[in-house]
Amino acid sequence: MNRCLFELPHPAVPVSGEDALYPVRRIFCVARNYAGHAREMGGNPEREEPFYFTKPADALVPGGGDIPYPPGTSNLHHEVELVVAVAAPLFRATPEQAATAIFGYAVGLDLTRRDLQFAARDKGRPWDLGKSFENSAPLSPLVRNPAPLTTGAVTLTVNGQLRQQGDLSDMIWGVPEVLAHLSQYYHLGPGDLVFTGTPEGVGPVVPGDRLAGQVDGVGDLIVSILAGD
Ligand code: MN
């Protein structure tokens, strides 16, 4: 048996009220899952099939906190989102089956280098530089809750000013539907997180800003943007 040349930290997020951590294998993100945000991105808010991008697990910032302004952008955007953690294997599942495989939820920020995302989008290129980068996925502690969440306010303030406001009931694709759809393409299982999309009101942040995201019944996430290097 060959040994690994070096050890790597394994990304994991705290579970609220417990000593245990939820280890993270993959992060899937749903694009445009609220009509208002689809419109503000220049898209069509009709119920077309969901589409996805991913972030590496080490993009997580468990618990939030201070993060440096990332390199290569001058238009870093906030997107507050409900994040669902998978509890059990799911493959080619129905929404009813997917609804039985939920570990719980967290509040996440899908931080986005919007200038790079749009430049890629406009050329038909992948979104990786815009979406998948270090510290791009701050996450509150996970709250155990096996129920499909269908309502609850989703808000984000920046320096105390309300920037994003929506409700889980406005999601075009609900949690069981998103998991079921993703499971047509992946063998989902424990360790998989899904960012379920953001309501309208996304916008830029700059060093010195303090972001506070909240999903009713799930929790709070506080992030401060520091100067970059
Ligand atoms: Mn997003």
Side-chain angles (χ1 to χ4, degrees):
M1 184 88 139
N2 289 333
R3 67 186 173 82
C4 286
L5 289 171
F6 47 86
E7 300 268 321
L8 289 175
H10 198 101
V13 295
V15 179
S16 189
E18 302 179 24
D19 292 334
L21 300 174
Y22 177 97
V24 176
R25 178 184 176 210
R26 299 183 289 193
I27 303 174
F28 300 95
C29 305
V30 186
R32 295 180 201 153
N33 200 22
Y34 290 77
H37 178 60
R39 272 187 227 102
E40 75 184 352
M41 291 290 107
N44 180 348
E46 285 176 23
R47 206 166 189 268
E48 52 186 326
E49 271 199 72
F51 67 101
Y52 308 95
F53 54 90
T54 61
K55 293 176 187 265
D58 63 6
L60 284 171
V61 184
D66 294 345
I67 64 170
Y69 195 90
T73 183
S74 53
N75 196 17
L76 180 69
H77 271 209
H78 55 76
E79 297 190 1
V80 64
E81 311 202 359
L82 174 72
V83 178
V84 58
V86 177
L90 277 180
F91 183 58
R92 294 181 180 151
T94 63
E96 293 72 27
Q97 291 166 332
T100 69
I102 295 167
F103 176 90
Y105 300 94
V107 183
L109 273 174
D110 166 16
L111 291 175
T112 301
R113 294 191 281 213
R114 192 73 73 199
D115 41 1
L116 301 188
Q117 182 205 8
F118 280 177
R121 186 193 68 179
D122 293 347
K123 291 179 176 166
R125 292 177 179 170
W127 290 7
D128 298 54
L129 287 182
K131 288 290 195 178
S132 305
F133 54 94
E134 296 142 13
N135 303 313
S136 64
L139 197 76
S140 73
L142 276 170
V143 174
R144 275 190 196 259
N145 180 0
L149 283 188
T150 54
T151 62
V154 182
T155 58
L156 181 94
T157 63
V158 178
N159 305 325
Q161 304 263 352
L162 187 63
R163 288 270 195 96
Q164 288 191 263
Q165 185 169 33
D167 195 281
L168 299 178
S169 61
D170 298 331
M171 287 197 290
I172 297 169
W173 298 88
V175 168
E177 291 175 308
V178 166
L179 294 178
H181 187 267
L182 257 182
S183 82
Q184 309 305 309
Y185 300 92
Y186 297 93
H187 292 76
L188 297 180
D192 287 332
L193 298 178
V194 182
F195 279 61
T196 60
T198 196
E200 64 192 306
V202 301
V205 292
V206 297
D209 282 348
R210 182 177 186 275
L211 289 64
Q214 187 174 56
V215 178
D216 267 1
V218 175
D220 298 282
L221 173 66
I222 308 291
V223 167
S224 293
I225 309 293
L226 306 181
D229 48 25

